[in-house]
Amino acid sequence: MATNKDAFRDYLQLEKKYSSHTVTAYCNDIASFESFNTIHFDQENIEQVNYSQIRTWIVSLVDNDISNTSVNRKIASLKAFYKFLLKTKQIKVSPLLKHKALKTPKLLQIPFSEKELEDALSHVQNPVGFEEIRNKLIVDLFYTTGMRRTELIHLKVVNVNLSGGTIKVLGKRNKERILPVLPIIINQFSLYLKERSSVLSIVDGDYFFLTKKGLKLNDSFVYRLINSYFSAVSEKVKKSPHILRHTFATHLLNNGADLNSVKELLGHSSLASTQIYTHSSLTELKKVYEDAHPRNQK
């Protein structure tokens, strides 16, 4: 079993090119099921399990107040493992062939309004010093490019083209894409680079955004930064880099952008992923419709 798990890990890392975080999550889910199967069915080899055994695991997860969303994620890990075993011809049929995902509530992600963006950024109209200039640029970059948090953190100096007005980011599964940068943001880039050069000790010099100690940013730092920027101007529960990405897409769609163009900017592999951002533009469309239609004026 250890051999198959090691091979599966290599497959996820080298062939599927998943992030280390995703690979670890998949392997932990498989190990969890393996442990459950050993305890409850006295069977260490999960390559030969049947669906009723997996179903028992699912029931135990739900009984332990694991959310349906989390259960579905664990099953997705298991499904990927059996798909790998099929691919390597170690099994003939996946025990999850006819499994249907548990129903999950559709959580509405509410973007920031244009006014909330203006209010948040107006707090630092003329940033001074390395940290203020960097922080404002990060917020502006999220909102004007729709890039992911990990894409911003791993942005390299060599991939910033000021003369061309573009940046190259590394997205999911190591897919590169070129993003246009607005002229107003180019000016901020130049200002930041000037301040960045004054950082005394630069450790992670390849990365564009650094802490005051010259280190690459991390997930929690970026999350706290966005949360603090918007806490004073928004009462929304979620104030994260992903909501800024969501806001970017929604505002583009509200102002007439083509869905396929937004898909390319976001780096989505399918249009279905982009369509989740259309609910707010539909809300805006409904408002325009209700305000403008003659039958609603009576």
Side-chain angles (χ1 to χ4, degrees):
M1 185 60 212
T3 302
N4 277 333
K5 285 197 295 185
D6 291 342
F8 179 61
R9 177 183 286 274
D10 290 341
Y11 165 73
L12 295 177
Q13 288 176 328
L14 303 176
E15 188 169 331
K16 301 298 287 184
K17 297 188 184 302
Y18 288 165
S19 69
S20 58
H21 176 78
T22 300
V23 172
T24 299
Y26 271 50
C27 293
N28 285 345
D29 291 336
I30 292 163
S32 174
F33 175 63
E34 182 183 22
S35 176
F36 177 89
N37 204 55
T38 302
I39 293 170
H40 292 270
F41 297 103
D42 194 25
Q43 180 184 9
E44 294 184 3
N45 185 358
I46 66 169
E47 296 147 318
Q48 303 302 326
V49 301
N50 56 51
Y51 181 64
S52 66
Q53 290 169 268
I54 298 175
R55 177 74 180 173
T56 302
W57 184 48
I58 294 172
V59 171
S60 75
L61 292 172
V62 173
D63 286 345
N64 281 289
D65 294 326
I66 305 298
S67 70
N68 284 6
T69 300
S70 294
V71 172
N72 285 340
R73 181 185 61 76
K74 292 176 183 296
I75 295 303
S77 301
L78 210 57
K79 189 176 286 188
F81 179 67
Y82 287 119
K83 186 176 180 180
F84 168 74
L85 294 181
L86 279 169
K87 187 173 183 177
T88 54
K89 298 182 179 180
Q90 296 184 65
I91 61 173
K92 292 183 178 179
V93 180
S94 169
L96 284 162
L97 182 63
K98 296 183 179 180
H99 173 75
K100 292 184 178 180
L102 303 183
K103 290 184 178 180
T104 57
K106 292 185 178 180
L107 300 177
L108 196 64
Q109 302 232 37
I110 303 174
F112 297 118
S113 67
E114 291 186 32
K115 185 179 186 307
E116 286 174 325
L117 259 299
E118 290 174 7
D119 289 346
L121 293 171
S122 68
H123 286 183
V124 191
Q125 285 282 14
N126 299 299
V128 177
F130 170 72
E131 291 185 281
E132 280 190 7
I133 291 170
R134 177 202 60 201
N135 294 353
K136 186 174 188 298
L137 176 56
I138 287 173
V139 177
D140 271 328
L141 202 56
F142 274 134
Y143 178 54
T144 58
T145 67
M147 65 198 309
R148 299 178 178 94
R149 172 167 45 178
T150 186
E151 291 171 347
L152 180 134
I153 290 172
H154 292 95
L155 180 65
K156 299 285 185 71
V157 175
V158 295
N159 290 332
V160 174
N161 182 354
L162 294 183
S163 60
T166 61
I167 56 175
K168 182 193 292 184
V169 297
L170 191 64
K172 289 185 175 180
R173 302 184 188 180
N174 289 331
K175 290 182 180 178
E176 291 183 340
R177 70 184 189 283
I178 306 295
L179 296 175
V181 179
L182 296 175
I184 190 172
I185 307 301
I186 293 294
N187 295 335
Q188 290 190 53
F189 268 104
S190 300
L191 189 60
Y192 167 73
L193 284 171
K194 182 180 177 181
E195 291 294 330
R196 183 184 183 277
S197 65
S198 67
V199 174
L200 295 178
S201 176
I202 295 182
V203 180
D204 298 321
D206 289 344
Y207 295 95
F208 188 79
F209 287 109
L210 302 174
T211 68
K212 62 182 179 181
K213 294 182 178 179
L215 300 172
K216 183 180 72 168
L217 305 184
N218 58 53
D219 285 348
S220 60
F221 176 93
V222 178
Y223 177 86
R224 290 196 306 270
L225 167 62
I226 300 303
N227 191 273
S228 65
Y229 247 79
F230 288 91
S231 290
V233 299
S234 176
E235 294 182 357
K236 291 180 174 64
V237 176
K238 291 195 71 175
K239 308 176 191 70
S240 66
H242 184 71
I243 295 300
L244 264 181
R245 177 173 161 86
H246 183 56
T247 302
F248 162 81
T250 301
H251 288 185
L252 282 182
L253 291 167
N254 282 347
N255 286 280
D258 172 70
L259 191 62
N260 274 303
S261 299
V262 176
K263 166 184 170 291
E264 294 302 316
L265 288 168
L266 292 173
H268 285 159
S269 56
S270 71
L271 201 59
S273 299
T274 314
Q275 286 172 334
I276 65 170
Y277 297 102
T278 61
H279 74 85
S280 295
S281 52
L282 288 174
T283 301
E284 183 71 16
L285 187 62
K286 182 180 178 183
K287 182 179 182 301
V288 171
Y289 167 72
E290 290 176 345
D291 290 344
H293 200 283
R295 289 294 296 270
N296 204 44
Q297 311 304 314
K298 298 178 180 179

